[in-house]
């Protein structure tokens, strides 16, 4: 016997409240419980936030754990570790009552996902296609387990991939003055 499970709409997701502080993503209409971050993942995201700020990106254009609406077979909502917003997007979010980038808003300039154990497929495969479809200029996949940073640059509707490891400097088209090695990012120092 097959039991039909009703898929959530974006409006239902935005109104959803289970009375807890749990963080959820919406994946093709299904509510996905987000596990707590590991200390190294939290440290990497915080390090990058501070580093990007030191590059001169204003604090109002940097945000952590802001939801991003993306399209899949149904509208989905992702919660990346870190976003760099364009000036236009930051202005669009000024009066928002919830920290979410909706489909009718400009896309973020840069999305950073720090891979958690057992989440590799979601970060490398599903989010890659969703962020490309959303037109996000650059998507960084920081992978502490595989000791690498994958930088995906959106070129003519598809992501071109560059993989960096060890003491190789990370190259970014969005952050041209970035002077970081993978080792430094993975240490979160």
């Amino acid at each position: 016997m097959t039991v039909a499970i009703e898929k959530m709409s974006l409006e239902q997701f935005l109104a959803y409240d289970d009375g807890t502080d749990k963080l959820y993503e919406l994946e093709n209409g299904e509510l996905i419980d987000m596990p707590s971050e590991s200390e190294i993942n939290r440290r990497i995201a915080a390090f990058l936030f501070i580093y990007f700020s030191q590059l001169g990106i204003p604090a109002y254009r940097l945000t952590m754990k802001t939801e991003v609406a993306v399209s899949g077979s149904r509208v989905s909502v992702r919660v990346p570790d870190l976003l760099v917003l364009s000036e236009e997007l930051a202005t669009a979010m000024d009066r928002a009552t919830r920290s979410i980038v909706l489909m009718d808003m400009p896309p973020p300039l840069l999305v950073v996902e720090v891979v958690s154990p057992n989440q590799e497929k979601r970060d490398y495969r599903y989010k890659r296609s969703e962020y490309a479809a959303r037109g996000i200029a650059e998507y960084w996949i920081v992978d502490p387990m595989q000791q690498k940073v994958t930088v995906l640059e959106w070129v003519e509707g598809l992501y071109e991939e560059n993989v960096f490891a060890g003491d190789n400097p990370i190259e970014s088209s969005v952050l041209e003055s970035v002077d970081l090695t993978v080792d430094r990012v993975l240490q979160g120092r």
Side-chain angles (χ1 to χ4, degrees), residues 87-103:
E87 193 70 40
E88 184 182 12
L89 178 54
T91 300
M93 293 185 69
D94 273 348
R95 293 171 298 285
T97 57
R98 181 172 176 156
S99 187
I100 183 169
V101 179
L102 296 169
M103 294 296 290

Side-chain angles (χ1 to χ4, degrees), residues 10-24:
L10 178 61
E11 293 74 23
Q12 290 169 320
F13 174 77
L14 294 175
Y16 182 76
D17 182 1
D18 65 359
T20 70
D21 289 336
K22 285 186 176 182
L23 189 60
Y24 296 96

